[in-house]
Amino acid sequence: QVQLVESGGGSVQTGDSLRLSCAASGLTLDYYAIAWFRQAPGKNREAVSCIASSLSGGDPIRDYSNSVKGRFIVSRDLNKNTVYLQMNGLQPEDTAIYFCAERGGYCTFDSGLYGSFGQGTQVTVSS
């Protein structure tokens, strides 16, 4: 059974940094793409970032939404079966619940194409 558990959220000030973790069980990250989504109150779920599987060899492809490109960095530790989202230069508009999700193979920002989602971790950025 696939399980994703997010952690690392919190309340910070504008310009601060946070690192979110997504610990995966029941799957091997080599074969799965892991995406980060976020949802703010009253808004639709928004794709943030994705790190693809390594099936084709070499470094996995990473993708970012325009709203976080240059500020957020996605990475993974295969030994810990964990994906990270390093968030720098946080802004109030980054306030949301952040979720990670899995699918086999390549990245997409279509949340409907993902299988399991974690329970989410709250990120609050105050000005």
Side-chain angles (χ1 to χ4, degrees):
Q1 182 179 356
V2 173
Q3 186 175 19
L4 303 173
V5 179
E6 303 94 336
S7 61
S11 297
V12 297
Q13 302 289 319
T14 296
D16 285 350
S17 298
L18 279 175
R19 189 178 78 158
L20 305 184
S21 299
C22 172
S25 59
L27 60 82
T28 304
L29 287 182
D30 271 8
Y31 303 104
Y32 287 81
I34 301 294
W36 287 95
F37 295 89
R38 67 187 181 186
Q39 188 161 19
K43 293 190 176 181
N44 292 331
R45 185 181 296 173
E46 174 192 14
V48 174
S49 181
C50 183
I51 183 165
S53 69
S54 307
L55 293 177
S56 58
D59 290 334
I61 293 172
R62 296 166 172 83
D63 203 2
Y64 301 92
S65 67
N66 288 334
S67 61
V68 307
K69 197 171 294 183
R71 299 189 297 127
F72 290 10
I73 300 170
V74 64
S75 63
R76 68 184 188 186
D77 184 331
L78 295 180
N79 291 326
K80 295 182 178 179
N81 224 35
T82 298
V83 172
Y84 302 99
L85 184 68
Q86 178 67 42
M87 306 188 296
N88 302 318
L90 284 163
Q91 303 295 317
E93 54 265 35
D94 294 317
T95 295
I97 300 174
Y98 284 71
F99 303 87
C100 59
E102 55 79 18
R103 73 185 301 271
Y106 60 88
C107 283
T108 173
F109 279 172
D110 183 346
S111 63
L113 297 180
Y114 283 81
S116 300
F117 282 73
Q119 83 290 348
T121 186
Q122 176 72 48
V123 172
T124 303
V125 185
S126 55
S127 56

